[in-house]
Amino acid sequence: MTDVNDNAPVFEKSSYEASVLENNTPGLSIYTVTARDADWNQNARVSYILEDSSDNGVPMSSYVSVNAESGVIHAVRSFDYEQIKDFAFHIKAQDGGSPPLTSSVSVKIVIQDQNDNSPQILYPVQSSGSLVAEIVPRSADVGYLVTKVVAIDVDSGQNAWLSYKLQKATDRALFEVGAQNGEIRTIRQITDKDAVKQKLAVVVEDNGQPSRSATVNVNVALADGFPELLSEFSDFTHDKEYNDNLTFYLVLALAVVSFLFIVSIIAILSVKCYRWRRERMLYKSNGNLPVIPYYPPLYADVGGTGTLQHVYNYEVCRTTDSRKSDLKYGRACSQSIISLDNSGTLPHVQRENLMSDFDDTTTLKALNTEHNTCVTEGERYIVYAENTMIYAFI
């Protein structure tokens, strides 16, 4: 007997509803639908198909997909509760008979909210370019309403429940904040000792797990008149700029002082190193440093022979009594250059010429100094010199 495909697939439920947390991972398995067919063999084989539909112009195929054999529904994308809270679509079950028989069922997916948004402050408006201050007269009674902090949370349920508390204040004994409504009120009478400028920091916190929060700063002025308020708050907006400038100048001054200190240390170390090296050099040389001869601009050392450009003749007679020594000056030699031989003396010819140039009538007394070297009486020296360079030959 051959089975006839006369039974359509039947779903276990007339409709399905499933939920998924927002910010889910794409490809997450959301739910499974099941249908059965009363026929046999191929006629009882069921496959599942997602019917074409859209939600606000967005096709359902971009939201979910269905496994054709198992009926498992998978999320195609990550859902955001703040953008879409739920959507519905139809799944068709089709058997393997010929012709195939089908049936469909509706499926609704609900997106569950997570606490992924912090509270948003609506009032007071936070502005970096201007100052907003609430004015409270000094004659205000206890319980005077200063202002109200207004905030919202785009999450839902308990994630959107907000609470308010005073985090810090110039004088915590002067103000309080309503935990549920965010109202800021005075809790005692204002006195003359209270500062004109009061700063409050209010924390707004949601009830999610984990909770999220936001902080708002509230400026309060205790003044009975506008002139008093203006004089006290004239520098209010410049506090931050002043502090920034002060910090900059302090850092700059510290950098300059540090630089000068480092330069001073380097200079001191350089001087000490130079002195140490000089002392080491003197110590190693035992005081016998090389002497570099200096020739004034009008002198010329021709070929290293020790010759001069101009020659003058002197006759020096020294006795044991240095006070009686004589020095005779002669005219300039006719020769322009006098050279020495290898023994350090004048050649015979040049010596004769120099001796003939002396004039006995020109005599200069030698300097009377106790440091003159005493030589044997009667020794004669021939001296030729120009400025400070003197050469003597016996």
Side-chain angles (χ1 to χ4, degrees), residues 30-74:
I30 300 176
Y31 197 75
T32 301
V33 295
T34 304
R36 300 185 182 279
D37 195 302
D39 294 320
W40 292 89
N41 297 330
Q42 183 68 23
N43 294 334
R45 185 177 181 178
V46 178
S47 59
Y48 303 92
I49 302 171
L50 177 65
E51 294 186 0
D52 293 335
S53 60
S54 62
D55 181 71
N56 295 326
V58 180
M60 283 295 118
S61 58
S62 65
Y63 286 164
V64 293
S65 64
V66 179
N67 186 287
E69 294 183 357
S70 63
V72 177
I73 302 173
H74 296 275

Side-chain angles (χ1 to χ4, degrees), residues 71 101 133 141 179 239 388 391:
L101 299 178
D141 296 331
D239 286 346
T388 59
Y391 293 81

Side-chain angles (χ1 to χ4, degrees), residues 292-310 336-340 384 386 389 391:
I292 301 175
Y294 168 72
Y295 297 98
L298 296 178
Y299 288 79
D301 185 8
V302 180
T305 60
T307 60
L308 302 174
Q309 292 180 347
H310 301 285
S336 61
I337 295 178
I338 297 177
S339 60
L340 304 176
Y384 65 96
E386 181 176 294
M389 302 293 292
Y391 293 81

Side-chain angles (χ1 to χ4, degrees), residues 11 56 67 90 129 131 181 238 306 349 356:
F11 285 95
N56 295 326
N67 186 287
H90 286 81
L131 172 67
N181 53 25
H238 301 288
V349 177
S356 64

Side-chain angles (χ1 to χ4, degrees), residues 319-335:
T319 67
T320 56
D321 186 359
S322 62
R323 301 185 179 210
K324 297 179 181 180
S325 300
D326 294 336
L327 183 144
K328 293 183 179 182
Y329 169 75
R331 68 181 180 274
C333 296
S334 59
Q335 290 178 329

